Amino acid sequence: MSQAHSLDDIKPLEIESGALQSQRSDLPEKSFRWGLFAALAVALITLAVLLIFIVTEGWPRFNLQLFTNMPSIRLPEIAGAQSAITGSIWVIVTTGFISLPVGILAAIYLEEYGNPLGRFYRLVEINIQNLAAVPSIVYGILGLGVIARALALGQTVITAALTLSLLILPVIIISTREAIRAVPQSIRFGSMALGATKWQTIWKQVLPVATPGTATGAILALSRAIGEAAPLLLLGAVTFITFNPNGLLSSYTVMPIQIYNWISQSRDEFHVLAAALCIVLLMLLLVLNGLAIFLRNKYQKRW
């Protein structure tokens, strides 16, 4: 009986010690979780303060004149950003037409046709991984030396589009490869078992299933290109222009460069214009990101 009582007395002690150890083991996890929440709160608060400041500063000039009038140094009260908005549309649309087919086809080759043990495959893969981390100003140097001068394309829309295409190509290739890699092998085997060729399997089965990831990566890459100013400034993009581009060989300006030009002026009216154009740029980025989320959700439900 005494032995039984002693065992009963030991059990509560073991339970208490186990609970104490459990609490100690949960402490690092809880601390890490609260650290993540604190970092997220700091990021959200900073973003909210920035958005409130920009909207408050630029809302008085966020009107139709901003879209219909040309920039003016002498009359900032009625100046607009039509040439910058039109130039951004020209550059980004051209960039999309160049970069998307090249990036998607390159990803298809690397995932479906390339030999992972081959030297060429490994060389291309290493370069893609490295180029994704290269600063944008380096692409501006490349575009200035090779595209603008060696190819004699000058400071034109096509020069900007080719440079920005080089900038976002690694992002498009990597995101498309990940989307293709996520497609189950059973879909490929089933298609080929029914008599489809490799290309028919890729075109009819693999690419539709990989569309959410591909579209999301492509749109986010184009969103990055819209906000780039450093490589275009290095290319010699015009900071003050009062006409819209009319072709690929036309001079141009874009919204980030126009914002840079206005914010460098000493008069407060230009700062208000810069904030208003920032609102336009942010709205365009939100639309593109929303489109990426919509396409991803739509195709995920379908497949």
Side-chain angles (χ1 to χ4, degrees):
M1 294 294 294
S2 59
Q3 185 178 1
H5 285 296
S6 61
L7 292 175
D8 292 337
D9 293 337
I10 292 173
K11 287 182 180 179
L13 295 176
E14 292 178 349
I15 294 174
E16 290 178 2
S17 61
L20 183 59
Q21 291 178 359
S22 177
Q23 290 177 359
R24 290 178 179 176
S25 62
D26 291 342
L27 184 59
E29 182 179 353
K30 291 180 179 179
S31 301
F32 182 70
R33 186 182 303 172
W34 282 109
L36 293 178
F37 284 141
L40 179 62
V42 170
L44 292 178
I45 291 172
T46 304
L47 179 61
V49 170
L50 179 63
L51 291 176
I52 291 172
F53 172 78
I54 290 175
V55 173
T56 304
E57 183 77 10
W59 191 255
R61 285 305 317 274
F62 187 72
N63 50 31
L64 191 60
Q65 287 183 342
L66 185 67
F67 298 90
T68 58
N69 292 358
M70 291 292 177
S72 174
I73 296 296
R74 303 175 65 181
L75 298 172
E77 296 82 6
I78 60 172
Q82 186 186 45
S83 58
I85 296 172
T86 307
S88 292
I89 294 173
W90 268 92
V91 170
I92 293 305
V93 170
T94 309
T95 301
F97 276 111
I98 295 172
S99 61
L100 293 181
V102 175
I104 293 173
L105 290 175
I108 292 174
Y109 168 78
L110 291 173
E111 285 300 316
E112 300 292 339
Y113 292 97
N115 179 15
L117 301 179
R119 292 183 178 179
F120 177 74
Y121 181 95
R122 287 181 291 179
L123 178 65
V124 171
E125 188 168 22
I126 291 173
N127 280 297
I128 289 173
Q129 296 291 340
N130 291 333
L131 289 174
V134 172
S136 60
I137 193 70
V138 176
Y139 289 97
I141 297 172
L142 178 64
L144 179 64
V146 177
I147 301 173
R149 295 180 179 175
L151 299 181
L153 292 177
Q155 285 76 31
T156 58
V157 171
I158 188 63
T159 301
L162 288 171
T163 304
L164 292 178
S165 296
L166 293 175
L167 173 66
I168 65 175
L169 260 178
V171 179
I172 295 174
I173 294 173
I174 292 172
S175 61
T176 304
R177 288 185 65 187
E178 292 296 330
I180 293 174
R181 194 178 300 163
V183 177
Q185 289 291 342
S186 58
I187 294 179
R188 297 177 176 85
F189 295 153
S191 176
M192 293 181 181
L194 293 174
T197 63
K198 188 176 184 65
W199 172 246
Q200 288 175 336
T201 299
I202 295 171
W203 182 252
K204 296 291 185 179
Q205 303 296 329
V206 176
L207 288 181
V209 178
T211 296
T214 302
T216 301
I219 294 174
L220 293 179
L222 291 175
S223 299
R224 178 189 175 186
I226 289 177
E228 286 291 343
L232 301 183
L233 283 172
L234 195 61
L235 287 173
V238 183
T239 57
F240 179 75
I241 189 171
T242 57
F243 59 88
N244 295 325
N246 55 10
L248 297 179
L249 298 178
S250 175
S251 298
Y252 69 97
T253 189
V254 292
M255 286 186 282
I257 293 179
Q258 189 64 65
I259 292 170
Y260 169 80
N261 183 28
W262 279 338
I263 207 68
S264 62
Q265 302 293 327
S266 59
R267 298 170 62 179
D268 292 337
E269 292 85 352
F270 289 109
H271 299 170
V272 176
L273 277 171
L277 193 55
C278 284
I279 297 175
V280 177
L281 188 58
L282 287 172
M283 291 178 62
L284 183 58
L285 292 174
L286 287 175
V287 168
L288 288 175
N289 288 317
L291 180 61
I293 295 172
F294 170 76
L295 291 175
R296 182 186 63 193
N297 294 336
K298 178 182 178 181
Y299 282 97
Q300 280 181 345
K301 290 178 180 178
R302 178 178 297 181
W303 299 100

